[in-house]
Amino acid sequence: MRMSKPILLLFLAAVLAAAPPAAAGDRPAYPETRRVDQVDDYHGVEVADPYRWLEDDVRTSPEVAGWVAAQNELTFSWLGTIPQRPAIQARLTELWNYERYGLPARYGGVYYYEKNDGLQNQDVLYAVDRLDGEPRVLIDPNGWSGDGTVTLGGTSFSDDGRYLAWSVAEAGSDWNRWRIRDLRSGKDLPEELAWIKWSAVSWTTDGLGFFYSRFDEPAEGAAFQQSNLNQKVCYHRLGTPQPDDSVVFEQPDHAEWTFSATVTEDGRYLVISVWKAMENNLVYVRDLARPYAMPRLLIDGWDARYGFIGNDGPLFFFRTDLGASRGRVVAVDLNRPERSAWRTLIPQNDDTLQQVGLVGNFFFANYLHHARSRVRVFNTSGEQVRDVELPGLGSVSGFGGRRLDSETFYRFSSFNAPPVIYRYDLASGKSTLFRQAETVFDPAQFVTSQVFYTSKDGTRVPMFLVHRKGLKQDGRNPVLLYAYGGFNLSMTPSFSAAKIAWMEMGGIYALANIRGGGEYGREWHEGATKLKRQNAFDDFIAAAEWLIDEQYTSRSKLAVMGGSNGGLLVGAVMTQRPELFGACLPEVGVMDMLRFHKFTAGRYWTDDFGSSDDPEQFKALLAYSPYHNIRPGTAYPPTLVTTADTDDRVVPGHSFKFTAAMQRAQEGPAPVLIRIETRAGHGGGKPTDKAIEELADEWAFLAATLGIDLPQAWKGDRASGQE
């Protein structure tokens, strides 16, 4: 929905009157933003926060709601003057309109998978008796709301396939409400489970109930901002109300700890993983065969990451980076849990171990080799059996299943290769095509390469470049440089209609695998955390300078983009090097590094960022915090900030405050605009029409600010949708 929600306030009319629509080449007339005399003392250092009031929830603050409406009115008026925008949205819609499938999973002899016909706002869950059979709709969320913002969240089937637990998320929120459906009768059970986020559902093998994690109900009006504390692992028995659920694990003395609970495939044990933040974790195990048994601490020390893979009776398998920065697989015996008795089944090698699945008595180890996927198959003794042959340079996901399965499924995609799903036969090691996307572009017209450049401190950093064939390195190409660089997450080759549209516009897409991510294991990640955070920004700046030096582009043609932690990245580099970029697109970014930990999920990020509560970390945070490093009278690049009014992960106050400070400080005509999506969150579950509209606005902004002329084929009739 492009129009902001109505605000019945008299002062809004005056604000809007002071901010008439502006032509794309003029300096916008920004709405007036009130400043307050807010100064905080951090370890003896006074720090001003003049836009503190913009942290208030848009649902409860009329003044913030009025500011949002005024900013959206300005932004959409400005974007509406861009002549290229209609053609961009039309081409994005054509490219988006292809069938997309999820990976099949089998329960009770029935296969289940999600599918989108192309332009449906939300994916639909289907059931099919045979892979080549006629699918039937199980759950279609597209009728749940008029604007497509109520979505199907998680799903979990009981082992026998009789029951399905499924969740609903509204307006992009992380909060989920869970329901249970009896698949025999097709009817939903009466109970509904609320105040659940970041939690899966794990069924007991008898199919009578499941374990999940929940929070206490937030204070009235605080669900989208209050820090989430005191999570509990609960057991829900079918047919009973949620208040009757038993609490099986909690740590009231550690309100900030969070938990996930998984029932082992044999049904004997409950594995509980415990986190303080997002880094190292503990592991508890409860013997479900003993009704009164307490959870037993199996892995202690907070010294590494431990991901549960599966078990063989009392022998438990974990993926860990303990003593292995790039990951290994270890076996831990419940009868001899001391570390001296642990056995390494799959040792560390030169590639980075991302995920491990245990299917049909094989470990499927998904590695990254310079940020691209490799999959190796091992038996349960740790002996390598084979590699999975992949179609090319790209990314792989999947390889889920159970110990008795004879098949598994995986998805492959790359920058110019739409997703392909394969069925993998465990006995023969043969992959056969299950579904292949049919899209309206020619993949052969694009090429992908990987380059390496040198960062400020001499570190060698990889970067993918994707563009049309026959590109001239004459410094005149528009480039969109993207990165993330945080939380041990790896950026790998992936397909999107938006990237294809950008490259059809003559652009180069550059993906830099900067430090802070997980591409090269723990050391690569920790090389840009806390006091070393500046390394991620230096890596990103070095990528931009390399692209200019190598004549791929010039400063006036170079745009940078990133979301969430990547939004912080863009905010940091544009305040440190404003002269380097032709346009900036920070999306749902963490912009106030002194207060991020006070809202919703923010406290989990202190492992990566540090905390302003610590004097030394405060100094490092203040040195790069985007909001605090905006300098009045500076000529900042054209900037389009994007966020959403119901983002309860990175609360929108970050983007609101950053934008207000930027607009006041900006010197010259370059626009500083903010696009605030309504009834949307951090990005998950965003309806297709909203996603296309937002990208059309971003690409149109880049077309206007970088001086991009659209392909001739976009300007006339396109019978086939292809150039």
Side-chain angles (χ1 to χ4, degrees):
M1 183 173 64
R2 292 182 54 76
M3 295 300 295
S4 56
K5 60 186 178 183
I7 306 296
L8 300 178
L9 299 169
L10 292 176
F11 76 88
L12 179 56
V15 171
L16 296 179
D26 297 336
R27 176 186 174 90
Y30 301 117
E32 190 69 28
T33 304
R34 180 171 64 90
R35 290 167 59 84
V36 298
D37 186 21
Q38 176 69 47
V39 178
D40 300 307
D41 186 301
Y42 292 91
H43 316 289
V45 178
E46 291 190 341
V47 180
D49 188 1
Y51 301 109
R52 176 71 61 82
W53 65 274
L54 283 170
E55 293 178 352
D56 292 345
D57 194 330
V58 68
R59 286 162 295 276
T60 58
S61 169
E63 187 177 15
V64 174
W67 185 89
V68 166
Q71 291 287 347
N72 268 347
E73 181 70 18
L74 168 63
T75 296
F76 290 132
S77 296
W78 195 95
L79 293 169
T81 67
I82 301 173
Q84 300 99 317
R85 192 194 177 284
I88 291 173
Q89 179 161 345
R91 183 56 177 155
L92 278 169
T93 302
E94 289 176 340
L95 290 166
W96 217 286
N97 192 14
Y98 67 94
E99 290 184 333
R100 298 181 293 280
Y101 287 84
L103 291 167
R106 194 180 190 191
Y107 298 93
V110 178
Y111 291 96
Y112 299 93
Y113 58 82
E114 292 186 350
K115 177 194 172 187
N116 191 303
D117 289 342
L119 295 179
Q120 290 176 292
N121 273 326
Q122 301 295 337
D123 295 347
V124 178
L125 181 63
Y126 288 87
V128 64
D129 296 322
R130 304 186 320 275
L131 289 176
D132 60 353
E134 184 68 25
R136 54 190 179 273
V137 174
L138 188 60
I139 297 179
D140 183 357
N142 287 290
W144 291 351
S145 64
D147 60 2
T149 60
V150 181
T151 69
L152 176 63
T155 58
S156 179
F157 293 86
S158 61
D159 286 5
D160 61 4
R162 175 171 180 179
Y163 294 103
L164 165 65
W166 55 280
S167 69
V168 177
E170 187 170 350
S173 172
D174 283 333
W175 291 114
N176 278 232
R177 292 176 288 110
W178 284 81
R179 301 294 306 273
I180 302 102
R181 178 166 298 180
D182 184 336
L183 295 176
R184 290 182 185 174
S185 67
K187 297 181 179 180
D188 291 331
L189 276 60
E191 66 263 31
E192 180 175 286
L193 281 62
W195 304 118
I196 302 169
K197 63 167 60 176
W198 314 314
S199 174
V201 158
S202 188
W203 289 84
T204 53
T205 52
D206 58 14
L208 298 178
F210 52 76
F211 296 93
Y212 69 100
S213 301
R214 64 157 293 175
F215 292 96
D216 294 332
E217 182 176 351
E220 184 176 356
F224 287 87
Q225 287 196 315
Q226 179 177 305
S227 187
N228 304 125
L229 300 171
N230 295 303
Q231 194 180 38
K232 302 171 178 64
V233 177
C234 299
Y235 173 73
H236 177 76
R237 191 170 184 86
L238 299 188
T240 65
Q242 187 179 21
D244 291 349
D245 291 354
S246 57
V247 176
V248 299
F249 190 81
E250 62 179 330
Q251 293 287 326
D253 293 336
H254 301 284
E256 74 281 7
W257 289 9
T258 53
F259 319 112
S260 68
T262 303
V263 178
T264 57
E265 190 177 323
D266 59 12
R268 175 68 186 269
Y269 303 100
L270 181 68
V271 181
I272 303 172
S273 297
V274 182
W275 289 271
K276 291 180 184 176
M278 297 181 69
E279 187 64 24
N280 304 332
N281 63 293
L282 309 179
V283 178
Y284 285 79
V285 175
R286 177 181 173 182
D287 189 344
L288 296 178
R290 300 169 57 197
Y292 301 105
M294 297 296 291
R296 163 189 173 190
L297 183 59
L298 179 64
I299 298 178
D300 196 1
W302 298 109
D303 55 358
R305 304 181 189 94
Y306 300 92
F308 176 65
I309 300 169
N311 71 304
D312 190 356
L315 192 65
F316 280 54
F317 308 122
F318 293 93
R319 176 176 60 88
T320 182
D321 57 10
L322 178 68
S325 171
R326 301 197 182 192
R328 61 178 174 138
V329 174
V330 299
V332 180
D333 193 329
L334 294 185
N335 298 316
R336 294 189 58 201
E338 59 272 14
R339 296 194 177 201
S340 60
W342 293 8
R343 291 191 294 115
T344 296
L345 295 180
I346 304 176
Q348 176 179 231
N349 61 52
D350 291 339
D351 294 331
T352 304
L353 183 59
Q354 294 282 289
Q355 295 176 323
V356 183
L358 179 56
V359 190
N361 287 321
F362 291 106
F363 291 117
F364 285 83
N366 192 341
Y367 289 93
L368 285 186
H369 176 75
H370 296 309
R372 50 197 183 186
S373 291
R374 285 182 174 178
V375 180
R376 299 185 177 112
V377 184
F378 300 83
N379 62 27
T380 53
S381 298
E383 299 167 340
Q384 185 169 351
V385 177
R386 62 175 80 99
D387 288 346
V388 177
E389 294 186 12
L390 302 178
L393 181 155
S395 302
V396 170
S397 60
F399 297 107
R402 289 167 289 187
R403 294 290 293 274
L404 296 180
D405 287 349
S406 60
E407 64 182 358
T408 186
F409 296 85
Y410 67 94
R411 179 194 290 109
F412 174 87
S413 70
S414 192
F415 294 115
N416 62 337
V420 182
I421 296 178
Y422 293 96
R423 176 187 177 274
Y424 184 87
D425 183 83
L426 272 65
S428 66
K430 182 181 179 181
S431 296
T432 55
L433 180 67
F434 171 63
R435 291 289 185 271
Q436 183 168 12
E438 300 292 337
T439 55
V440 290
F441 81 101
D442 182 5
Q445 296 301 312
F446 303 94
V447 294
T448 299
S449 61
Q450 188 176 41
V451 300
F452 292 82
Y453 65 91
T454 302
S455 189
K456 182 178 179 179
D457 63 357
T459 299
R460 190 168 178 254
V461 183
M463 178 165 58
F464 292 102
L465 301 178
V466 198
H467 51 77
R468 279 192 176 279
K469 288 182 176 179
L471 180 89
K472 296 180 180 179
Q473 288 179 235
D474 56 7
R476 300 169 59 185
N477 304 295
V479 168
L480 181 60
L481 174 60
Y482 189 94
Y484 186 78
F487 300 102
N488 198 44
L489 297 178
S490 302
M491 296 290 102
T492 60
S494 63
F495 178 81
S496 80
K499 295 170 191 170
I500 298 300
W502 171 253
M503 292 185 289
E504 287 184 346
M505 291 166 62
I508 300 172
Y509 180 77
L511 175 63
N513 298 109
I514 64 177
R515 280 174 286 182
E519 290 86 350
Y520 292 105
R522 191 180 189 98
E523 292 177 2
W524 192 255
H525 169 219
E526 293 181 347
T529 59
K530 296 182 178 175
L531 302 182
K532 299 178 181 179
R533 193 71 186 173
Q534 183 62 38
N535 285 336
F537 312 140
D538 289 342
D539 289 355
F540 201 49
I541 289 169
E545 292 175 331
W546 185 91
L547 288 163
I548 294 170
D549 292 343
E550 295 296 318
Q551 293 291 296
Y552 282 97
T553 192
S554 61
R555 185 211 67 81
S556 63
K557 294 285 188 179
L558 174 61
V560 285
M561 182 180 188
S564 194
N565 176 75
L568 159 64
L569 173 69
V570 173
V573 300
M574 67 180 287
T575 52
Q576 293 180 15
R577 293 288 303 277
E579 83 291 347
L580 187 57
F581 310 109
C584 297
L585 298 176
E587 301 178 309
V588 292
V590 187
M591 299 302 195
D592 183 342
M593 301 309 298
L594 303 187
R595 290 176 55 79
F596 71 86
H597 58 299
K598 297 180 180 294
F599 301 94
T600 59
R603 74 174 189 281
Y604 299 120
W605 312 333
T606 56
D607 274 352
D608 253 52
F609 298 151
S611 169
S612 60
D613 296 336
D614 178 279
E616 188 176 14
Q617 293 172 3
F618 157 72
K619 293 178 182 178
L621 290 164
L622 182 62
Y624 71 79
S625 177
Y627 172 57
H628 297 95
N629 282 278
I630 297 169
R631 304 295 176 228
T634 301
Y636 288 104
T639 301
L640 177 61
V641 180
T642 53
T643 188
D645 62 356
T646 52
D647 187 344
D648 55 355
R649 193 175 306 174
V650 178
V651 292
H654 282 281
S655 294
F656 295 174
K657 291 164 61 175
F658 179 77
T659 300
M662 282 280 293
Q663 289 179 343
R664 184 172 188 270
Q666 177 68 314
E667 178 72 22
V672 175
L673 304 172
I674 182 169
R675 186 191 191 281
I676 306 156
E677 188 61 80
T678 57
R679 284 187 56 78
H682 197 59
K686 183 175 290 185
T688 295
D689 57 7
K690 282 181 179 284
I692 292 174
E693 284 188 352
E694 182 174 13
L695 280 161
D697 285 338
E698 291 178 308
W699 277 199
F701 182 83
L702 294 181
T705 55
L706 301 184
I708 299 174
D709 189 26
L710 299 185
Q712 187 62 39
W714 288 26
K715 300 175 183 178
D717 294 333
R718 299 185 303 276
S720 67
Q722 298 187 33
E723 294 185 48

